[in-house]
């Protein structure tokens, strides 16, 4: 029950003042393989660990993934990921590359089926090469694997032998594996048993196989197909290893497996508590560095879709799990039985308010405010804060009572049974606007306006949490931390065309604007979505133009700040998405039945970012795209500054306009209209 009490005396959290003087707001930039948000989807392993276990074969996977597409696909859940057991376990093909078990799977046909449902395929691999494959040659090389430096090393009990990843042959091996995956249509790679970090569990793991991570990252880059790289499990967070992970992978496991092994339920509350505590330790280790995050935390499978009889968690606990996974910007990869989703689980997974917050925390993850003087044991009663932002001022708050019904040894002090209370003000959390519109994510009936100095009192039952989004209503009293200004998107299916008498100015400097060129841009990342040929000409209303000219017309609206339909482009072919403060902008234009052009910026083109918008987008167009189906991006010189442009699948789920439920319904004709 939320109560607001106006008091002259400011009540503060017992230990929050020690951390709120310096917010040290963590924030994300783009990941090494080009992703701006953690993945959503489903993985097989939690069901495989059940008793009785899930029979891992293509038919059963298709049943689950068809349910994913039908019930959750339009909410961004798109990855269908196979865990251990899809491949032949003890040897590779003629070149030592992993091969699928033909008695269970036909991976290329599975990929084709999933792609037809707008889903993406994930596979599972381990570092090293098969110990039976020493006499084989790596694709494109001559000596047998065992005679190359790359093959030197010990073998473990997982039927793998170690590479020297610095030696000639190792990169060629990774390239050959990923190229094979690309030919199959793989979109996601889980690299398991990475060390240091992964528990040995009697497998005789190599102490340090960290070289496998940059090896597979480079292999993905050369493959020409965008793939996520998720590394596992409970990886070492200290340097130099954390830098290796964060510079090469898109997400990393921060804890051990979450699932119950060989039990009739998927998970226990005590194990969930452990995962949340591991995230608390992880994010507290990153915040003091003052650097942007480039790798998302993987807290293991999201187990909230089924009722308590299968999940092992009460509805209250399931809601708390969903709240924390979203707040942490963790992978939202389900492990539930998708054929048995109950209505409560569906509501959790599809709640639009919660998914809007997931967009926000994908740039601004939450951090804890209580108990940070105890590095190894968290507070049983916790306040988490994500944001706020200097541009939008938006913040997210999670209040949680982890309770005494799980693993009490995780906490200091020990949890007390029953309901627990918190009393605080928004000012005591370091927030600064005069007042906020408080949106209760799970209980909209509790929405209200709260002033900065109102005392908020909450009572939380065992395992209960509260999830709030705060929208500023007044003027800030102090400057707040920075963020990428992406919150709830306002989307139109068509923009407003430039109808003014004056022709558009491509690069004309506004009076008084201070500019600084973004050029030269070093190491501009480029990619290719492999859409096939883009139409060589497109019929605008005023001329027939090549695809490159379309991108330049989109650039005009991106960088002049109007964020509207490009000149001469029919509004019906355009989707435009902006954040609430209209700082970010995405413009997408349908160019064929299977492709759209898109351009995106995260920050407004003001100050020196005005010129940088023009420079960066021109560089992307000229160096990465041209008239091909390529794409490119650049992170910019400022925190949260980011530009991306290119061609992608029509209404691709990576588009901001799709995450905001707006699709392109018409495409540009390819000849001059009559």
């Amino acid at each position: 029950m939320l109560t607001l009490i106006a008091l002259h005396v400011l009540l503060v959290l017992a230990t929050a003042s020690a951390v709120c003087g310096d917010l040290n707001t963590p924030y994300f930039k783009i990941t090494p393989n080009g992703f701006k948000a953690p993945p959503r989807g489903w993985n097989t392993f939690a069901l495989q660990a059940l008793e009785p276990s899930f029979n891992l074969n293509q038919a059963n996977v298709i049943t689950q993934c068809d349910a994913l597409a039908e019930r959750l696909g339009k909410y961004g859940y798109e990855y269908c990921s196979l865990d251990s057991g899809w491949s032949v376990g003890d040897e590779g093909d003629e070149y030592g590359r992993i091969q699928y078990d033909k008695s269970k799977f036909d991976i290329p046909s599975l990929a084709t089926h999933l792609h037809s449902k707008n889903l993406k395929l994930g596979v599972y691999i381990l570092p090293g090469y098969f110990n039976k494959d020493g006499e084989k040659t790596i694709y494109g090389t001559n000596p047998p694997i065992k005679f190359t430096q790359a093959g030197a090393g010990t073998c473990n009990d997982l039927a793998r032998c170690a590479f020297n990843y610095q030696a000639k042959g190792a990169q060629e091996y990774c390239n050959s594996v990923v190229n094979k995956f690309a030919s199959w249509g793989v979109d996601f790679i889980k690299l398991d048993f990475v060390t240091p970090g992964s528990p040995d569990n009697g497998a005789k793991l190599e102490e340090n196989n960290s070289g496998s991570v940059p090896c597979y990252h480079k292999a993905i880059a050369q493959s020409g197909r965008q793939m996520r790289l998720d590394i596992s499990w409970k990886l070492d967070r200290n340097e130099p290893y954390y830098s290796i992970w964060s510079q090469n992978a898109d997400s990393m496991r921060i804890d051990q497996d979450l699932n119950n092994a060989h039990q009739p339920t998927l998970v226990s509350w005590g194990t969930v508590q452990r995962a949340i505590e591991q995230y608390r330790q992880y994010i507290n280790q990153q915040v003091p560095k003052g650097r942007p995050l480039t790798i998302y935390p993987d807290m293991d499978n999201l187990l909230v879709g089924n009722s308590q009889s299968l999940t092992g968690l009460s509805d209250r606990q399931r809601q708390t799990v969903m709240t924390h996974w979203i707040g942490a910007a963790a992978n939202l990869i389900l492990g539930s039985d998708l054929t048995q989703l109950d209505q409560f689980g569906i509501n959790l997974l599809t709640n639009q308010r919660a998914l809007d917050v997931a967009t926000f925390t994908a740039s601004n993850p939450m951090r804890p405010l209580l108990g940070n003087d105890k590095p190894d044991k968290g507070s049983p009663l916790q306040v988490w804060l994500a944001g706020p932002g200097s541009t939008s001022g938006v913040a997210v708050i999670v209040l949680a009572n982890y309770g005494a019904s799980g693993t009490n040894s995780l906490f200091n002090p020990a949890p007390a049974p029953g309901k627990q209370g918190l009393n605080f003000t928004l000012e005591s959390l370091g927030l600064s606007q005069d007042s906020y519109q408080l949106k209760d994510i799970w209980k909209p009936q509790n929405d209200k306006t709260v002033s900065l100095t109102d005392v908020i009192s909450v009572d939380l039952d065992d395992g209960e949490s509260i999830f709030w989004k705060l929208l500023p209503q007044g003027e800030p009293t102090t400057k707040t931390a920075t963020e990428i200004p992406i919150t709830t998107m306002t989307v139109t299916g068509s923009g407003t065309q430039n109808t003014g008498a004056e022709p558009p100015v491509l690069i004309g400097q506004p009076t008084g604007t201070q500019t600084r060129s973004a050029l030269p841009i070093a190491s501009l990342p480029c990619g290719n979505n492999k859409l096939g040929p883009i139409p060589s000409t497109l019929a605008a209303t005023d001329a027939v133009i090549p695809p490159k000219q379309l991108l330049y017309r989109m650039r005009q609206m991106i960088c002049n700040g109007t964020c509207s339909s490009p000149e001469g482009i029919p509004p019906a072919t355009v989707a435009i998405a902006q954040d609430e403060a209209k700082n970010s902008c995405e413009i997408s234009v349908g160019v064929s039945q299977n492709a759209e052009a898109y351009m995106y910026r995260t920050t407004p083109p003001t100050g020196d970012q005005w010129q940088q918008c023009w420079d960066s987008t021109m560089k992307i167009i000229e160096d990465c795209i041209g008239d091909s189906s390529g794409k490119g991006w650049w992170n910019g010189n400022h925190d949260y500054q980011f530009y991306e442009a290119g061609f992608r699948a029509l209404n691709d789920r990576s588009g901001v306009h799709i995450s905001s439920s707006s699709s392109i319904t018409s495409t540009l004709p390819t000849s001059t209209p009559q």
Side-chain angles (χ1 to χ4, degrees):
M1 178 68 180
L2 170 65
T3 59
L4 302 177
I5 311 168
L7 293 179
H8 295 292
V9 180
L10 179 67
L11 300 182
V12 297
L13 290 165
T15 58
S17 60
V19 297
C20 289
D22 179 8
L23 289 177
N24 288 326
T25 307
Y27 64 94
F28 284 101
K29 281 195 171 184
I30 194 168
T31 69
N33 293 304
F35 295 95
K36 297 173 288 191
R40 300 178 194 172
W42 177 80
N43 174 266
T44 63
F45 189 69
L47 293 185
Q48 290 176 250
L50 271 178
E51 187 63 47
S53 65
F54 176 75
N55 186 2
L56 183 65
N57 60 42
Q58 186 147 322
N60 288 338
V61 167
I62 286 176
T63 297
Q64 292 289 328
C65 294
D66 282 357
L68 179 73
E70 179 182 354
R71 310 190 77 172
L72 301 175
K74 67 180 179 179
Y75 299 98
Y77 297 89
E78 60 181 351
Y79 288 95
C80 184
S81 180
L82 309 178
D83 214 276
S84 173
W86 68 273
S87 61
V88 176
D90 60 353
E91 65 178 328
D93 65 8
E94 66 270 30
Y95 298 107
R97 301 172 298 186
I98 194 169
Q99 54 187 336
Y100 54 87
D101 184 340
K102 293 182 180 179
S103 69
K104 299 179 180 179
F105 287 98
D106 178 347
I107 294 298
S109 70
L110 176 60
T112 298
H113 177 83
L114 296 178
H115 294 161
S116 74
K117 301 283 186 177
N118 291 320
L119 299 177
K120 297 180 179 180
L121 172 63
V123 296
Y124 171 101
I125 60 172
L126 301 178
Y129 68 91
F130 292 101
N131 54 16
K132 284 186 178 181
D133 291 343
E135 298 293 339
K136 299 175 182 178
T137 58
I138 297 170
Y139 185 85
T141 67
N142 291 317
I145 297 176
K146 71 176 184 178
F147 291 155
T148 66
Q149 286 181 294
T154 58
C155 298
N156 59 39
D157 283 355
L158 300 175
R160 301 302 197 282
C161 297
F163 279 122
N164 171 6
Y165 284 98
Q166 302 303 314
K168 180 175 175 57
Q171 189 61 57
E172 288 82 354
Y173 178 82
C174 293
N175 293 353
S176 71
V177 171
V178 173
N179 289 341
K180 188 172 187 178
F181 289 168
S183 72
W184 290 345
V186 170
D187 307 286
F188 181 106
I189 298 173
K190 177 180 176 180
L191 180 62
D192 203 4
F193 285 96
V194 175
T195 59
S198 291
D200 187 271
N201 289 352
K204 300 179 182 177
L205 299 179
E206 185 184 9
E207 290 184 2
N208 180 7
N209 61 34
S210 61
S212 61
V213 180
C215 192
Y216 278 103
H217 168 60
K218 293 174 184 176
I220 291 171
Q222 62 83 47
S223 74
R225 183 179 183 85
Q226 189 174 40
M227 303 182 200
R228 288 185 186 263
L229 180 59
D230 178 77
I231 56 175
S232 189
W233 53 316
K234 199 177 182 181
L235 295 165
D236 192 320
R237 303 170 197 158
N238 298 309
E239 297 295 352
Y241 302 109
Y242 181 76
S243 289
I244 295 174
W245 317 145
S246 63
Q247 292 170 14
N248 293 282
D250 303 294
S251 52
M252 60 175 282
R253 278 280 293 279
I254 59 172
D255 191 22
Q256 300 183 51
D257 287 352
L258 198 65
N259 57 276
N260 290 332
H262 310 298
Q263 299 293 325
T265 57
L266 292 168
V267 69
S268 65
W269 178 240
T271 309
V272 169
Q273 290 176 328
R274 185 197 70 204
I276 293 171
E277 169 60 15
Q278 285 299 313
Y279 172 75
R280 185 192 73 88
Q281 295 178 25
Y282 164 78
I283 197 66
N284 277 346
Q285 194 170 354
Q286 307 314 317
V287 166
K289 297 177 182 178
R291 300 197 301 263
L293 302 169
T294 57
I295 188 168
Y296 288 103
D298 181 352
M299 296 171 68
D300 204 10
N301 288 343
L302 179 64
L303 302 171
V304 299
N306 304 126
S307 65
Q308 184 169 4
S309 61
L310 177 55
T311 298
L313 302 176
S314 68
D315 288 354
R316 179 192 301 154
Q317 292 167 341
R318 290 161 69 191
Q319 183 170 293
T320 293
V321 170
M322 189 71 183
T323 296
H324 281 72
W325 264 238
I326 289 175
N331 291 2
L332 301 183
I333 299 292
L334 293 159
S336 306
D337 185 341
L338 302 182
T339 66
Q340 297 187 50
L341 297 177
D342 68 356
Q343 192 58 51
F344 187 81
I346 292 172
N347 292 343
L348 288 178
L349 295 168
T350 63
N351 181 288
Q352 193 56 56
R353 284 191 170 196
L355 296 178
D356 287 344
V357 172
T359 301
F360 178 82
T361 56
S363 302
N364 307 271
M366 67 182 187
R367 63 202 184 278
L369 300 185
L370 287 178
N372 291 334
D373 57 329
K374 299 180 284 289
D376 299 325
K377 291 181 182 291
S379 171
L381 200 60
Q382 187 59 266
V383 178
W384 300 85
L385 178 66
S390 61
T391 304
S392 68
V394 171
V396 170
I397 293 175
V398 174
L399 311 173
N401 174 20
Y402 300 117
S405 59
T407 306
N408 293 348
S409 61
L410 291 168
F411 304 103
N412 185 6
K419 289 187 176 183
Q420 303 298 314
L422 278 171
N423 300 287
F424 61 96
T425 67
L426 298 181
E427 187 176 45
S428 72
L429 304 186
L431 301 181
S432 58
Q433 263 71 17
D434 291 337
S435 63
Y436 290 83
Q437 181 187 1
L438 185 154
K439 289 190 174 183
D440 191 313
I441 301 305
W442 304 120
K443 297 180 179 179
Q445 66 271 22
N446 290 341
D447 289 359
K448 58 191 67 186
T449 299
V450 184
S451 77
L452 191 63
T453 55
D454 283 340
V455 173
I456 300 174
S457 299
V458 298
D459 289 323
L460 296 166
D461 215 332
D462 193 307
E464 185 179 7
S465 62
I466 293 175
F467 200 12
W468 290 336
K469 181 178 181 179
L470 301 179
L471 303 177
Q473 301 295 298
E475 294 298 321
T477 57
T478 59
K479 183 175 177 63
T480 58
T482 56
E483 58 142 349
I484 298 180
I486 302 175
T487 54
T488 304
M489 295 293 170
T490 57
V491 182
T492 58
S494 60
T496 302
Q497 291 191 29
N498 184 344
T499 57
E502 295 297 323
V505 179
L506 288 180
I507 302 186
Q509 182 175 333
T511 302
T513 300
Q514 298 297 313
T515 66
R516 181 181 64 177
S517 175
L519 300 175
I521 300 172
S523 302
L524 185 71
C526 300
N528 193 307
N529 284 324
K530 293 193 172 182
L531 300 171
I534 298 296
S536 59
T537 58
L538 300 166
T541 59
D542 56 349
V544 175
I545 59 175
K548 181 191 288 188
Q549 186 59 42
L550 170 63
L551 292 168
Y552 273 108
R553 292 188 180 200
M554 295 165 67
R555 171 176 175 255
Q556 169 74 11
M557 300 306 168
I558 284 282
C559 295
N560 70 10
T562 58
C563 196
S564 57
S565 288
E567 184 179 16
I569 306 303
T573 67
V574 182
I576 297 172
Q578 288 187 277
D579 64 308
E580 289 178 327
K582 299 192 182 302
N583 292 310
S584 68
C585 172
E586 181 197 72
I587 300 176
S588 304
V589 179
V591 298
S592 73
Q593 293 303 311
N594 65 351
E596 66 182 51
Y598 72 99
M599 191 170 292
Y600 177 68
R601 59 167 168 79
T602 58
T603 51
T606 57
D608 62 8
Q609 294 191 51
W610 183 85
Q611 186 66 51
Q612 290 171 8
C613 183
W614 297 107
D615 292 345
S616 306
T617 49
M618 179 184 72
K619 186 75 169 174
I620 292 169
I621 292 170
E622 294 297 329
D623 288 10
C624 293
I625 306 170
D627 290 322
S628 72
S629 60
K631 63 179 178 179
W633 57 90
W634 186 61
N635 270 324
N637 294 326
H638 295 267
D639 290 344
Y640 314 117
Q641 184 185 10
F642 176 77
Y643 305 99
E644 183 175 349
F647 294 92
R648 63 189 174 200
L650 184 67
N651 295 318
D652 189 272
R653 295 190 182 279
S654 66
V656 178
H657 68 95
I658 293 299
S659 67
S660 302
S661 301
S662 177
S663 299
I664 296 173
T665 57
S666 181
T667 62
L668 288 174
T670 57
S671 60
T672 305
Q674 300 297 316

